[in-house]
Amino acid sequence: MPGPDGGDWLLVAVAVLLLLIVVAIGVFYLKLHHLPEHMAHKGQKVQYEIVAVLCLIALFTHNHAFWIVGLLLALVPIPDFSTPLNRMAAALGRMAGLSGTRSQSADTTATDAAPHQTET
């Protein structure tokens, strides 16, 4: 019931409470939506970027399949294929005698670290 001055404190309290509940639900939704990105942040950069794009697509399209794929991708680590391939390419370049496959500093440290053998 409104008071003699015409103000209804119960209406104001319910309006503030409703506003707080709507904001809390929105924050919870965005935190839940950010969960796959947060999980993939510890992994590789490429994996993080793919998961971030999938989460943004899911957020804007309201298609939950993108979010589920992003969550599964965040849980499964992507194997590192580039490092072994780069090492194989560098080794093939050294075998072929191509210059420029490795930097000069890497060549000097590799030859300095190798034991010197003497022929007998």
Side-chain angles (χ1 to χ4, degrees), residues 86-106:
N86 288 336
R87 292 183 70 192
M88 283 189 275
L92 287 172
R94 283 193 311 272
M95 287 173 26
L98 298 176
S99 62
T101 56
R102 293 175 50 186
S103 66
Q104 291 293 347
S105 63

Side-chain angles (χ1 to χ4, degrees), residues 14 19 39 46 57 65 70 86-87 90 97 105-106 113:
V14 169
L19 183 66
M39 292 169 60
V46 174
I57 291 172
N86 288 336
R87 292 183 70 192
S105 63

Side-chain angles (χ1 to χ4, degrees), residues 19-95:
L19 183 66
L20 289 176
I21 288 174
V22 168
V23 169
I25 289 173
V27 168
F28 175 72
Y29 178 74
L30 290 176
K31 284 245 187 225
L32 185 66
H33 222 291
H34 180 67
L35 181 66
E37 285 181 70
H38 184 70
M39 292 169 60
H41 186 67
K42 299 175 186 115
Q44 300 172 357
K45 183 182 179 200
V46 174
Q47 182 180 8
Y48 174 72
E49 289 175 354
I50 292 170
V51 169
V53 167
L54 285 172
C55 287
L56 278 175
I57 291 172
L59 181 66
F60 291 131
T61 62
H62 299 290
N63 190 351
H64 301 297
F66 290 114
W67 187 82
I68 292 170
V69 169
L71 183 65
L72 292 176
L73 186 60
L75 290 173
V76 177
I78 297 176
D80 183 21
F81 292 114
S82 64
T83 302
L85 291 176
N86 288 336
R87 292 183 70 192
M88 283 189 275
L92 287 172
R94 283 193 311 272
M95 287 173 26

